[in-house]
Amino acid sequence: MFEIINPATGETVERVAELDDAAIEAALARAAAEYRRWRQTPIETRTALLNQIADIWDANKQYLAELAVREMGKTITGAIAEVEKCISGFRHYAQHGPAYLEPTKVKTPTGHAVARWLPLGPVLAVMPWNFPYWQAVRFLAPTILAGNVALLKHASSVQGCAAAMEDMARKAGAPEGLFQNLAIKSNKVDAIIADKRVVAVTLTGSEGAGAKVAEAAGRALKKVVLELGGSDPFIVMPSADLDAAVKTAVTARVQNAGQSCICSKRMIVHADVYDSFLEKFVAGMEAVQIGDPMEKATAMGPLSSVQQRDTVLEQVAKARGAGAKLLTGGTKIERQGAWMTPGVLVDLDPESDVAKEEIFGPVAAVYKVPDIDAAITLANDVPYGLGSSVWTQDEGEIERFAQDIEAGMTAVNSLLASVPEAPFGGVKLSGHGRELGPWGLHEFMNLKAVMFGGGNTPGD
């Protein structure tokens, strides 16, 4: 049984029954049967369904947003923005999908070959709670377009969101078996990955969860895409627009209550502007409006759970134990639910254990560096390599950061955000593989070479 708790109030809002083994088997059988049919559907049928799903989501935008607020504490403004991003994701693949799947013709010594993109089969997605819709849509939209079918194992705390996603797809006309929500817990995942009917798996979550899923996929010799944690650097150089950088840095740490893999967590600031940045940043964090996540004026609501909030508070305590100073916030708010204040740490030893961790909450560590070389070295001195944000007007510095920061993504003078058009993913312990754009679509497709012409020798 799943118990869904509203993190703003601490109240249980719903209980959801877990699927038993017979129900899981029935779902896998439906997925396999639907794949045999769906893979043969014309591309026009697939793109039409994506547009129909987008229409249904648009008509139910407020309902979906309020559901996310109740289940994981997201502000209503953030939840509506997330739903709108999902709508844009469905429409992106509907519009650009046919071009993404165009065959490519190449010459060969004896004739030519055509590289074709073909579907593979049922794909399992193991998804987290922090962006309960967008994380899943990044997988779902390209899966439908590819001619594959989708199985979703969502986080325990957002089972209502997961069920609503399946309901939206069915209302849009998706056939039974094309997209199924599996209300299961993590102990059922290995067996599903091992099932011969499932061809691949994608996971967004912690590196621990990613290692377990990758191990299971490895045993079954199945493709896996992992989008894991991040401790993204936010680098500010002397030529930066300081006010814009500070405003964006505050947003990075408090949007979604700091629970975002790609929002910067380590502020690395050049010594020439460090004092000014720090003063403005502390003031900005202290000015964040905390309150009812259903109110549009609220900038930060609760964290997703009391457990998650307490984990962040423990990391703050560990940082202070390692010599860091807490300049503001980073404390529990004494009220029912998962509340805390935004915090700013300074003087944290970069070599301490906590400095190497991802703080998945509204707390930033601010570092002073003497030059660009030190900034890049510190940026890379963590096990993660997901995103990064750099602030400078110097073209040479921009090129250095783009070339030398070990990350899957770098935003220049802006907040890093995922968009349907660009590849999304990381390196090092942040995972491997890519989502979004044609790259995410092609991850779970068969790139098949069809050879034309005679004279090939055996083995060519």
Side-chain angles (χ1 to χ4, degrees):
M1 182 69 69
F2 298 98
E3 185 175 44
I4 300 173
I5 297 172
N6 184 337
T9 65
E11 297 173 342
T12 298
V13 294
E14 189 177 1
R15 290 181 174 85
V16 177
E18 184 179 359
L19 296 186
D20 60 20
D21 290 344
I24 295 171
E25 169 56 33
L28 292 173
R30 285 192 295 270
E34 180 55 35
Y35 169 65
R36 290 191 291 272
R37 192 196 71 83
W38 186 251
R39 70 184 303 274
Q40 302 292 344
T41 57
I43 190 67
E44 295 80 10
T45 300
R46 303 177 202 170
T47 57
L49 177 60
L50 289 172
N51 275 323
Q52 289 160 3
I53 294 173
D55 291 342
I56 291 291
W57 278 61
D58 197 28
N60 290 275
K61 186 188 305 183
Q62 189 70 24
Y63 162 72
L64 290 167
E66 291 180 1
L67 185 58
V69 175
R70 286 194 300 272
E71 292 197 340
M72 59 75 56
K74 188 182 297 287
T75 64
I76 189 65
T77 302
I80 289 173
E82 181 177 347
V83 174
E84 290 174 344
K85 181 179 278 194
C86 292
I87 294 168
S88 72
F90 286 122
R91 296 208 191 282
H92 173 82
Y93 281 104
Q95 179 181 352
H96 298 283
Y100 289 164
L101 296 178
E102 276 290 318
T104 301
K105 183 177 178 180
V106 295
K107 291 183 178 180
T108 68
T110 58
H112 72 277
V114 177
R116 302 178 61 183
W117 293 106
L118 300 175
L120 288 176
V123 180
L124 172 67
V126 181
M127 293 289 114
W129 43 261
N130 59 328
F131 289 89
Y133 299 127
W134 177 236
Q135 306 275 20
V137 168
R138 293 197 317 228
F139 141 81
L140 177 60
T143 296
I144 290 173
L145 176 69
N148 296 325
V149 301
L151 297 163
L152 173 63
K153 184 275 174 205
H154 220 322
S156 298
S157 59
V158 290
Q159 286 299 306
C161 293
M165 290 184 66
E166 181 180 5
D167 184 52
M168 295 296 109
R170 295 299 299 276
K171 286 179 177 177
E176 184 180 31
L178 179 61
F179 170 47
Q180 298 179 82
N181 170 48
L182 303 181
I184 60 172
K185 295 184 179 177
S186 298
N187 61 350
K188 301 288 187 180
V189 169
D190 279 11
I192 294 174
I193 294 173
D195 192 286
K196 292 181 179 180
R197 291 165 291 191
V198 173
V199 298
V201 58
T202 179
L203 175 139
T204 299
S206 68
E207 63 268 28
K212 291 178 181 178
V213 164
E215 181 181 359
R219 287 195 300 268
L221 295 179
K222 293 180 181 178
K223 178 69 178 289
V224 60
V225 167
L226 302 174
E227 192 269 283
L228 308 178
S231 187
D232 290 4
F234 186 101
I235 301 176
V236 183
M237 299 299 287
S239 64
D241 180 335
L242 202 60
D243 288 337
V246 168
K247 183 178 179 181
T248 304
V250 171
T251 299
R253 288 319 308 129
V254 303
Q255 75 162 4
N256 213 39
Q259 300 163 127
S260 171
C261 296
I262 61 166
C263 278
S264 301
K265 301 171 178 71
R266 296 177 297 133
M267 312 304 163
I268 300 172
V269 186
H270 192 283
D272 290 355
V273 291
Y274 176 84
D275 289 341
S276 180
F277 175 90
L278 185 60
E279 180 182 1
K280 292 172 183 284
F281 183 58
V282 169
M285 293 286 272
E286 290 177 341
V288 170
Q289 185 164 337
I290 304 170
D292 183 351
M294 285 292 188
E295 295 291 334
K296 290 184 178 180
T298 297
M300 191 182 101
L303 275 71
S304 62
S305 66
V306 169
Q307 180 183 12
Q308 181 60 31
R309 188 270 315 276
D310 290 348
T311 296
V312 175
L313 294 178
E314 288 169 6
Q315 289 176 296
V316 170
K318 186 160 62 170
R320 297 180 74 182
K325 296 176 183 176
L326 184 63
L327 295 188
T328 188
T331 58
K332 176 181 177 181
I333 297 176
E334 295 297 340
R335 59 184 289 188
Q336 194 71 17
W339 300 87
M340 69 173 291
T341 55
V344 178
L345 293 164
V346 295
D347 299 338
L348 178 59
D349 180 358
E351 297 305 314
S352 64
D353 290 344
V354 68
K356 308 293 187 184
E357 298 173 357
E358 175 182 30
I359 299 180
F360 209 58
V363 176
V366 185
Y367 299 89
K368 182 194 294 188
V369 291
D371 53 38
I372 189 171
D373 293 325
I376 292 171
T377 297
L378 183 56
N380 292 338
D381 191 27
V382 291
Y384 302 102
L386 189 55
S388 52
S389 181
V390 299
W391 292 78
T392 176
Q393 302 300 320
D394 186 299
E395 292 294 332
E397 290 177 349
I398 291 172
E399 179 58 28
R400 278 288 311 277
F401 290 134
Q403 180 70 25
D404 293 341
I405 291 178
E406 297 169 352
M409 300 163 283
T410 296
V412 179
N413 297 320
S414 62
L415 180 74
L416 181 62
S418 57
V419 293
E421 298 82 3
F424 183 92
V427 297
K428 302 195 289 188
L429 291 189
S430 290
H432 53 248
R434 291 295 181 267
E435 298 176 294
L436 299 175
W439 306 275
L441 170 66
H442 294 158
E443 286 282 5
F444 296 122
M445 299 195 75
N446 173 18
L447 180 56
K448 185 175 185 178
V450 183
M451 311 295 290
F452 295 87
N456 288 345
T457 59
D460 284 353

